[in-house]
Structure formats: structure tokens, C-alpha cells
Amino acid sequence: MTNHSTHLPHKLSSRSLRILRTTLGVMTLVILTFPFMRAQGNAETGSGLLLVVNQGEATLGIVDPQAAKQIATIAEGGVTGHEVAVSSDGKTAYVPIYGDSSVGEAGTDGRDMVVIDIASRKVVGHVDFGHGVRPHCVVMNPNDGLLYVTTELDKTVTIIDPKTLQVVGVIPTGQEQSHLLVISRDGRFGYTANVSAGTVSVLDIPGRKLVAVIPVSTKVQRISISIDDKSVFTADQAKPQLAVIDTITNKVKTRIPIADPGYGTASTLDGRWLLVCVPDASQVSVVDLKTLRVVRTIAVPKVPHEIVISPDDKTAYVSCIRTKKVAAINLSDWSVKSLIEAGESVDGMAWAARTQ
């Protein structure tokens, strides 16, 4: 007869039980919170990229906002881009190749727009406008998924299907030097700043027609729209003031005095403030949109040109074209939290949302 020995486990002491329970508790907590910690980390480090057009280098720069550093540049292959737009998924950038001069000056007449894959950092396509048109400002309209490009020499805005990279329509502006464009958030109307004409053209986007031409000054620059689509802002170049256009009446309803002639503008996403580049003063003025008065100024590097507000409404990025710098302004206390080294003659900017 074979004897089978049965080995019973030793009884755990109360101290051992406490250690075991603590260990199991910590392991459970790590397992449960790891996915959240990983997602939170992705949100913090992968919220987006700032794209900057380095005019003097004919490159598109990619800036990591968290690191406050330009991490790559992509040669455009043409002379030279001024502005940039990004696809809704954050994967593709579009840069019109304007030419080798500034608006209204003698020089080459661009006829191309380059398409850049942001992940691979390569030019992956082109849009040929067929002849020299000085394409300048490109806007992605999320309402219809089409690109709208100012084509100055034709006095039009040209419509591009980003899927086919083909021209699918044009909208006349009726004015010289339709340099900048903004589209209302509902996608119904577009507004162009017509530099030497000193006017703003109002465009019916779905109808693809000119609605009105609004006299502003002898010369204007840049254009933006309020968050509620009720006001359009453009900078008078003859006097130190901003024109505020009522989008219901399509008339200038008031003017906001500033220290020197302004340039690029942008509203904070909460609709409370309007930030204004003042190039000659090397500052950004902050306008209270309730009172339409300048309430503070912020010193930045020389010749601020354009402003982009981050999607979380915490930071304003200001391109300073004479210093290779982008100033990052903290919107909670109005301090310049960093100066990002970009490229020569950094100008147009756009935000590219990161996707997984």
C-alpha cells in the first residue's frame, strides 16, 4: 500500500496578509489607471503642432509647442509661400506659392500651391492655377471640405477640391489685391481684405458670387472675424485704427484707435479679446471686445505679423517677421512665456491637430 502525503500550505500570518493585500491593491490601481495615464500623456504631448511659413527660406517649419522648438523644415520647392492652411484631420498642409515680392510690388507671379504631408515631411502634390495669379491666402472651409485661395491677379478667390487637387470654381472679388480671406464659421460668407483698394469684399460662399464691396480706407491689411460671426476686423494702413464691420449691414460700424497702424488680428476663442499686431511698435495690443477699447499692450520681437490662437485658448502665437521668432503669449496673464526660434522672415501660421 502506497502512502500519499498531502502537503498543506502554511497558514499566513496577519502581517503577511496585510503585505499581500497592499501589493494586490497597488497592482490593481496601476492596471486600472495606466490607460488613463497613457491617454492623458498623449493629450498633453500630442495636442497639435504649429506650422509656420519661413518666407526667407522658402520652407514650411514644424514647431512643437510643448517644447517651444522648431523641430523640422520642409522645402516648398518654389519662391515663395506666405500663408498656410491645414486639412481638418491635421495630416496635410497647403502652401500657395505667391512669388518673390510683397503685395503690389514688381516681381514674379506665382501659379502653384504645394501640398505637404506633415507626417512624412514631404511635398506630395501640386495645384497648378494655369497662369500667374499670385495665390496668397488659403482657407480650409470645414462646412464643405473645400479650399479657398485668394488669386490676386485674377481678382478672384479660387476653389480647390483637396481630394482631386482640381479647380472646381471661382468667386469674383471685384477688387485689386484681394490678399487675405476669412470665412464665417457657418460657411456662408467670405471676406477679403483688398490692400491697395482699401476695401473689403463680401462673398456668398455657397452661391459663389460677390455680395458687396465695403469702403474702409485708402489701404488696408489683414482680416479676421469674431467668434460669433457678427464682426469683421481689418487694419487701416492710412491711420492707426481698426475698422469693425457689421456683418449684418455690411458696413463699417466703428473704428478702434491703436498706437500705430495694425496688421494681423485674432479673437480669443471665448470671444472676449481681440489681439492686434502693431508692427512699428513691436507690440501686440489687446482689445476688449465688450468695450472695443485697447486695454493693454504686450512687447514682442520686431515686426509682429500674424496671430494664431491655440485650440485650448491658452496661448497666442505671434510671428515676428524681422527676428526669426514666434512669441508665445500666455492668455491667462498676458506674459510672453517663450520665444520660439523659427526661420527667416517667419510669417503665416496654422495649427495642425495631431491624430492617432
Side-chain angles (χ1 to χ4, degrees):
M1 184 177 178
T2 304
N3 291 326
H4 298 281
S5 301
T6 303
H7 299 282
L8 299 173
H10 294 289
K11 185 177 181 180
L12 294 174
S13 66
S14 60
R15 181 173 180 274
S16 298
L17 285 170
R18 286 198 300 272
I19 293 172
L20 180 61
R21 290 192 187 103
T22 301
T23 302
L24 289 172
V26 171
M27 291 176 66
T28 300
L29 181 62
V30 169
I31 292 169
L32 291 174
T33 59
F34 178 72
F36 170 74
M37 292 168 65
R38 183 174 61 182
Q40 185 182 49
N42 286 343
E44 291 173 351
T45 61
S47 57
L49 297 167
L50 181 68
L51 305 186
V52 299
V53 179
N54 300 314
Q55 266 197 51
E57 300 172 4
T59 64
L60 179 68
I62 300 178
V63 170
D64 181 341
Q66 284 74 35
K69 183 179 180 181
Q70 182 174 264
I71 58 175
T73 58
I74 304 158
E76 297 163 358
V79 179
T80 181
H82 294 192
E83 302 293 331
V84 60
V86 181
S87 59
S88 299
D89 61 9
K91 295 180 179 180
T92 310
Y94 304 91
V95 182
I97 304 301
Y98 184 75
D100 63 4
S101 68
S102 296
V103 59
E105 297 180 356
T108 60
D109 300 331
R111 56 176 289 168
D112 183 30
M113 181 169 71
V114 297
V115 183
I116 296 172
D117 179 73
I118 296 170
S120 66
R121 298 171 185 173
K122 293 180 179 179
V123 174
V124 294
H126 293 264
V127 175
D128 186 348
F129 293 96
H131 59 283
V133 293
R134 293 197 176 188
H136 184 256
C137 177
V138 54
V139 177
M140 170 63 75
N141 183 355
N143 297 277
D144 59 17
L146 299 175
L147 294 163
Y148 292 76
V149 187
T150 58
T151 36
E152 285 183 18
L153 298 185
D154 282 355
K155 302 180 187 178
T156 60
V157 169
T158 299
I159 308 168
I160 307 295
D161 184 341
K163 295 178 182 177
T164 64
L165 299 182
Q166 297 296 310
V167 174
V168 295
V170 294
I171 308 174
T173 66
Q175 300 286 284
E176 299 282 351
Q177 297 175 10
S178 298
H179 200 54
L180 269 294
L181 167 72
V182 68
I183 295 177
S184 60
R185 283 161 182 80
D186 62 11
R188 294 176 58 205
F189 295 103
Y191 304 86
T192 62
N194 310 313
V195 179
S196 64
T199 60
V200 168
S201 295
V202 183
L203 313 178
D204 176 344
I205 295 296
R208 299 183 179 179
K209 61 185 179 180
L210 175 64
V211 174
V213 175
I214 304 168
V216 175
S217 178
T218 56
K219 186 178 182 180
V220 296
Q221 265 290 4
R222 305 283 155 155
I223 199 159
S224 69
I225 193 167
S226 61
I227 297 301
D228 60 10
D229 283 347
K230 292 181 179 180
S231 299
V232 164
F233 309 97
T234 192
D236 189 334
Q237 300 301 286
K239 294 181 179 180
Q241 59 187 8
L242 294 178
V244 184
I245 295 169
D246 185 321
T247 58
I248 301 299
T249 64
N250 286 333
K251 294 181 179 180
V252 175
K253 64 179 179 181
T254 191
R255 299 175 192 267
I256 304 171
I258 50 180
D260 287 288
Y263 212 71
T265 59
S267 298
T268 55
L269 303 185
D270 61 5
R272 179 69 194 276
W273 313 103
L274 180 73
L275 277 66
V276 185
C277 290
V278 186
D280 290 347
S282 295
Q283 68 183 25
V284 171
S285 293
V286 181
V287 174
D288 184 332
L289 286 175
K290 291 182 178 179
T291 63
L292 296 179
R293 295 178 181 274
V294 174
V295 294
R296 60 175 53 83
T297 58
I298 304 160
V300 295
K302 289 182 180 179
V303 193
H305 247 220
E306 191 161 313
I307 302 171
V308 165
I309 307 295
S310 63
D312 61 9
D313 209 21
K314 293 181 178 180
T315 307
Y317 295 95
V318 184
S319 61
C320 301
I321 197 168
R322 291 290 177 262
T323 58
K324 300 184 182 180
K325 295 286 194 298
V326 175
I329 298 173
N330 188 332
L331 294 177
S332 64
D333 63 8
W334 306 108
S335 64
V336 177
K337 63 181 182 179
S338 63
L339 293 175
I340 302 167
E341 188 78 18
E344 187 71 39
S345 299
V346 59
D347 188 8
M349 300 182 292
W351 190 270
R354 278 181 177 164
T355 55
Q356 298 301 320

